[in-house]
Amino acid sequence: QSALTQPPSASGSPGQSVTISCTGTSSDVGGYNYVSWYQQHPGKAPKLMIYEVSKRPSGVPDRFSGSKSGNTASLTVSGLQAEDEADYYCSSYAGSNIPLFGGGTKLTVL
Amino acid sequence: QVQLQESGPGLVKPSQTLSLTCTVSGGSISSGGYYWSWIRQHPGKGLEWIGYIYYSGSTYYNPSLKSRVTISVDTSKNQFSLKLSSVTAADTAVYYCARARTGTIAWWGQGTLVTVSS
């Protein structure tokens, strides 16, 4: 099983919007509506930001949104804030196999 | 609110077995519906699923680690454990325990750094 493909970096200025992609296959991202996104600040455990493609856990700002088209899922952060600077990982259920993670995207707020 | 806490040695010698335990509070492992997971992160790198266990004892392991991994559960103590045998420096990583469902991890432990070195 290969990891999901994410761009290594993304950036935007405060107030702007940034979209991070996550590409898999029909056996994972494209086959299930179980894509998650995690935010990780340095030295901290990952935090769930989006689950089941587009749902936000309680407490996650609505600036964070998720979507999916075919084998590619996306995370959009609108109204960028300094505290959004972090690493972001996507993950997808893959049936009875081990779920897959993306390689991670470092989001920089300029 | 569910809390998970990893415990175990922070230093393991090469060729030995890495052993970690995750203690769960605020929820029962036996309640079902969740997959109790181990995930690791090599220094400066991305996340890697190691495997997971259901309360019944059913396990799923990452094929790349399957020959060296054992995950077990002790419902009486509300704990689950990871054993990784024949470790090398490549197994140096932060190890997280977590609660997952259909690939979604809502609850993570804080993580514990395990260094493999003589």
Side-chain angles (χ1 to χ4, degrees):
Chain A
Q1 291 174 301
S2 300
L4 307 176
T5 300
Q6 296 182 235
S9 63
S11 63
S13 300
Q16 289 188 331
S17 293
V18 171
T19 297
I20 299 170
S21 62
C22 171
T23 301
T25 69
S26 57
S27 296
D28 37 72
V29 174
Y32 305 93
N33 288 322
Y34 290 116
V35 176
S36 306
W37 289 92
Y38 303 91
Q39 177 191 66
Q40 187 179 35
H41 287 111
K44 301 293 188 181
K47 174 187 175 184
L48 179 66
M49 304 301 284
I50 296 288
Y51 68 102
E52 293 177 13
V53 177
S54 59
K55 297 179 181 178
R56 272 180 291 106
S58 175
V60 172
D62 60 7
R63 303 185 293 103
F64 291 85
S65 61
S67 62
K68 189 184 83 167
S69 178
N71 296 336
T72 298
S74 299
L75 172 72
T76 297
V77 185
S78 305
L80 270 175
Q81 298 183 4
E83 62 261 34
D84 299 332
E85 184 162 296
D87 294 326
Y88 290 84
Y89 294 91
C90 64
S91 177
S92 176
Y93 182 67
S96 60
N97 298 317
I98 289 291
L100 298 175
F101 281 113
T105 298
K106 182 176 182 60
L107 175 60
T108 301
V109 180
L110 301 171
Chain B
Q1 176 162 320
V2 175
Q3 291 186 314
L4 301 98
Q5 178 68 57
E6 305 89 352
S7 60
L11 181 64
V12 181
K13 289 182 167 51
S15 79
Q16 293 191 342
T17 296
L18 178 160
S19 296
L20 295 174
T21 295
C22 182
T23 300
V24 180
S25 58
S28 172
I29 286 180
S30 300
S31 62
Y34 298 102
Y35 294 88
W36 302 94
S37 306
W38 288 98
I39 294 149
R40 70 180 182 178
Q41 186 170 33
H42 294 102
K45 301 296 184 182
L47 300 165
E48 178 184 30
W49 283 86
I50 298 170
Y52 53 80
I53 189 166
Y54 197 55
Y55 80 99
S56 62
S58 299
T59 53
Y60 295 89
Y61 299 140
N62 188 322
S64 68
L65 298 169
K66 188 174 183 178
S67 63
R68 298 193 292 130
V69 172
T70 302
I71 297 176
S72 59
V73 64
D74 186 338
T75 54
S76 67
K77 294 182 179 178
N78 221 31
Q79 296 176 332
F80 62 105
S81 299
L82 168 71
K83 291 189 184 300
L84 182 65
S85 64
S86 305
V87 297
T88 69
D91 295 308
T92 293
V94 174
Y95 287 77
Y96 295 98
C97 61
R99 190 183 83 169
R101 178 157 58 185
T102 49
T104 298
I105 306 167
W107 300 106
W108 297 72
Q110 65 184 26
T112 187
L113 174 64
V114 178
T115 301
V116 178
S117 175
S118 55

